[in-house]
Amino acid sequence: MKDDAYSLVRFLADTRRITGGGHIEKELIARLRPLVQRFAGSGTWREPHHHEVSPEQGFGVHLLHEESDHSLAVFAISWLPGRGTPPHDHGVWGIVVGVDGPEKNVFWERTDDRSRPGYAELRKIGEKVFAAGEVVAMPTGTIHSVCNESDQVTLSLHVYGKHVNFTKRSQFDPEQRTERPFIVKID
Ligand SMILES: [Fe+2]
């Protein structure tokens, strides 16, 4: 059943009650997860321009909300067929829900001791294709890469504890063994 009543305003009010509750991150994610899933599925936030994608970047980042201190950032992100992101972290927790089409996530872990600036060794630890309605819950420190292997533009709803361009997060090249800043273009 379509949940027409679950607006961005209601979702934010529910979310702020939880983020203000002093929970440890694991508990926070567990409590937020069903709300983000409900909000993503409600479709109340959707606009046609969310399918617009930056050709250079391969994906389109549409900001729905952030607090004045950049916390609690909500994005609709669309992905061109055959495109995606390099492995990256977020510098904060994140919860992603598939909306239109499947998106493949590959999960990585660092295997170096983080002592050399700009250097990183990564090992692939798993992968999963997330269909519409499925949730990717990522505690701080999660490293993943995303790819749209379908033949259509896909769309997912993303909620982060802080706008990801303000967390000093990183992107990685597992073959070149490099780490560098990851700033995305906001559409
Ligand atoms: Fe990500």
Side-chain angles (χ1 to χ4, degrees):
M1 192 174 72
K2 200 163 184 305
D3 186 0
D4 292 323
Y6 206 46
S7 65
L8 177 63
V9 171
R10 284 189 60 197
F11 168 68
L12 292 173
D14 289 346
T15 299
R16 288 183 188 116
R17 262 195 298 278
I18 293 171
T19 56
H23 304 291
I24 60 165
E25 186 178 274
K26 187 176 176 186
E27 180 75 13
L28 181 73
I29 289 173
R31 286 171 182 257
L32 289 178
R33 183 186 171 115
L35 297 186
V36 180
Q37 193 172 28
R38 181 183 173 194
F39 178 61
S42 75
T44 54
W45 50 274
R46 294 193 63 162
E47 293 179 28
H49 77 265
H50 292 154
H51 276 87
E52 291 172 10
V53 181
S54 157
E56 320 87 70
Q57 189 161 248
F59 52 93
V61 183
H62 308 276
L63 180 67
L64 304 184
H65 174 80
E66 66 176 315
E67 307 283 45
S68 57
D69 62 356
H70 305 300
S71 65
L72 191 51
V74 183
F75 301 95
I77 304 185
S78 48
W79 308 79
L80 281 173
R83 302 289 295 276
T85 66
H88 62 270
D89 60 16
H90 307 97
V92 71
W93 59 264
I95 300 173
V96 178
V97 183
V99 176
D100 283 341
E103 292 170 3
K104 180 177 164 182
N105 277 246
V106 175
F107 298 96
W108 308 79
E109 70 176 6
R110 279 189 76 158
T111 55
D112 64 304
D113 65 6
R114 304 177 189 232
S115 63
R116 289 171 56 187
Y119 179 87
E121 293 175 21
L122 259 58
R123 183 171 74 91
K124 181 177 163 180
I125 55 173
E127 66 176 57
K128 185 185 172 191
V129 176
F130 290 85
E134 291 189 306
V135 181
V136 193
M138 296 180 285
T140 302
T142 300
I143 300 174
H144 75 151
S145 45
V146 180
C147 186
N148 173 8
E149 293 184 334
S150 79
D151 57 6
Q152 297 186 349
V153 172
T154 60
L155 183 75
S156 41
L157 191 281
H158 298 235
V159 179
Y160 300 97
K162 189 172 184 179
H163 188 308
V164 289
N165 280 354
F166 297 90
T167 61
K168 297 188 169 64
R169 50 95 168 250
S170 297
Q171 61 179 302
F172 303 93
D173 183 330
E175 290 176 6
Q176 300 298 319
R177 298 184 173 179
T178 57
E179 175 186 17
R180 58 194 176 92
F182 190 31
I183 301 289
V184 295
K185 176 169 133 355
I186 308 295
D187 294 278

